[in-house]
């Protein structure tokens, strides 16, 4: 049982309360394994919630609508859902009428999720930008999914459309993180003992392979200014890299 220092009044600690529950449906495939829910993620602006339901399925839920559903079922301790702003554009800049729930079949077990949002003034490091397949709008929101087979799939959150399929890892992708500066730089951590840096504004081209871990890489995180990346793995050491 956890204990607190003498200066901490346990009675003043806010205790977690259940405001609602999301349940995964019955297994859509005839499999005895693979049903684990490995990961969840919130969009940076709080507009969407994503969770791996097991059996290669990810559910994208407009979070304000989800909170309203909890309210309708009698939950009282809920954030005011009307305060959540939903901005909606697809990768071609088109407005969407209403945020929608999406069920995404990723093709393999999903181990990691990450949302990324675009800032137009953060240009790609690629010189030939006129060759880009995608030109992301100001309010573009992407979801990256890391799979059991080493692939990373990039989805348009507002349409549920698959945009990119990143192929280079040879083992499970355990973690994903976007640079917080809106550049759509994505880093993936894998059981193949490497981290890989991808530029999604350059159509997902891989920029770097980071090798410093002697064992599986479990997790990675950017510094607030996006200049440094730290990662941890089975070797119990933190590896830091400066991204320039």
């Amino acid at each position: 049982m956890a204990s607190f220092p003498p200066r901490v009044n346990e009675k003043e600690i806010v205790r977690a309360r259940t405001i609602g529950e999301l349940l995964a449906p019955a297994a859509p495939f005839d499999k005895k394994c693979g049903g684990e829910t490995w990961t969840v993620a919130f969009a940076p602006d709080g507009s969407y919630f994503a969770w791996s339901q097991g059996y290669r399925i990810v559910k994208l839920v407009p979070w304000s609508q989800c909170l309203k559903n909890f309210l309708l079922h009698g939950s009282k301790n809920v954030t005011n859902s009307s305060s959540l702003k939903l901005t909606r554009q697809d990768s071609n800049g088109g407005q969407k009428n209403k945020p929608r729930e999406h069920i995404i079949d990723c093709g393999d077990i999903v181990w990691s999720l990450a949302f990324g949002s675009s800032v137009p003034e953060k240009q790609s490091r690629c010189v030939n930008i006129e060759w880009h397949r995608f030109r992301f709008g100001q309010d573009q929101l992407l979801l990256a999914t890391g799979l059991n087979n080493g692939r990373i799939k990039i989805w348009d959150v507002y349409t549920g459309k698959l945009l990119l399929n990143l192929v280079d890892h040879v083992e499970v992708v355990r973690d994903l993180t976007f640079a917080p500066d809106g550049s759509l730089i994505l880093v993936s951590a894998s059981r193949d003992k490497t981290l890989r840096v991808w530029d999604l504004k350059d159509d997902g081209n891989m920029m770097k392979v980071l090798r410093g871990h002697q064992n599986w890489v479990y997790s990675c995180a950017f510094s607030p200014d996006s200049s440094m990346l730290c990662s941890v793995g089975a070797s119990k050491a933190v590896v830091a890299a400066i991204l320039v």
Side-chain angles (χ1 to χ4, degrees):
M1 182 176 179
S3 60
F4 297 92
R7 65 179 181 276
V8 177
N9 185 351
E10 295 184 38
K11 294 182 180 180
E12 295 180 354
I13 297 176
V14 178
R15 300 187 182 277
R17 296 181 181 180
T18 301
I19 62 170
E21 189 174 14
L22 298 173
L23 298 176
F29 307 106
D30 186 18
K31 291 185 178 180
K32 295 182 179 180
C33 62
E36 298 86 356
T37 297
W38 287 113
T39 183
V40 294
F42 276 103
D45 62 356
S47 60
Y48 271 84
F49 174 73
W51 62 305
S52 162
Q53 293 187 335
Y55 301 104
R56 74 192 199 192
I57 299 299
V58 170
K59 188 169 186 177
L60 273 169
V61 182
W63 188 240
S64 64
Q65 293 181 13
C66 187
L67 291 179
K68 288 179 182 178
N69 290 337
F70 291 157
L71 281 170
L72 290 175
H73 287 83
S75 298
K76 297 181 180 180
N77 298 304
V78 180
T79 304
N80 182 9
S81 58
S82 64
S83 66
L84 296 178
K85 181 181 179 182
L86 290 174
T87 53
R88 300 174 294 282
Q89 279 190 322
D90 63 14
S91 56
N92 297 318
Q95 291 289 337
K96 296 299 163 185
N97 294 325
K98 184 179 179 181
R100 292 189 301 163
E101 185 176 289
H102 296 288
I103 303 294
I104 297 174
D105 185 346
C106 296
D108 205 343
I109 297 172
V110 180
W111 283 80
S112 50
L113 296 171
F115 283 97
S117 56
S118 173
V119 175
E121 58 266 23
K122 290 289 184 179
Q123 297 296 329
S124 168
R125 302 186 187 190
C126 176
V127 176
N128 296 318
I129 59 174
E130 65 271 16
W131 294 101
H132 288 173
R133 292 172 57 198
F134 302 106
R135 293 188 178 182
F136 297 109
Q138 181 177 359
D139 296 321
Q140 181 66 38
L141 185 60
L142 305 179
L143 177 71
T145 57
L147 307 182
N148 191 69
N149 60 10
R151 295 193 176 197
I152 302 165
K153 294 187 176 182
I154 309 298
W155 309 84
D156 185 317
V157 170
Y158 303 126
T159 65
K161 177 183 176 182
L162 178 63
L163 300 179
L164 295 169
N165 193 2
L166 310 181
V167 182
D168 207 69
H169 284 296
V170 295
E171 292 286 350
V172 173
V173 179
R174 285 296 303 266
D175 196 24
L176 294 165
T177 185
F178 278 95
D181 62 0
S183 61
L184 289 184
I185 299 298
L186 174 69
V187 175
S188 54
S190 173
R191 284 185 182 177
D192 64 13
K193 307 177 186 179
T194 70
L195 298 106
R196 296 172 192 264
V197 185
W198 315 82
D199 185 354
L200 299 195
K201 287 191 175 181
D202 187 19
D203 292 340
N205 285 330
M206 189 175 62
M207 299 166 50
K208 294 182 181 180
V209 179
L210 304 178
R211 307 179 190 274
H213 290 271
Q214 301 302 312
N215 292 290
W216 295 352
V217 189
Y218 289 150
S219 182
C220 55
F222 273 101
S223 61
D225 65 357
S226 302
S227 66
M228 180 173 291
L229 180 76
C230 291
S231 57
V232 293
S235 61
K236 301 181 181 180
V238 178
V239 176
I242 296 177
L243 301 180
V244 293

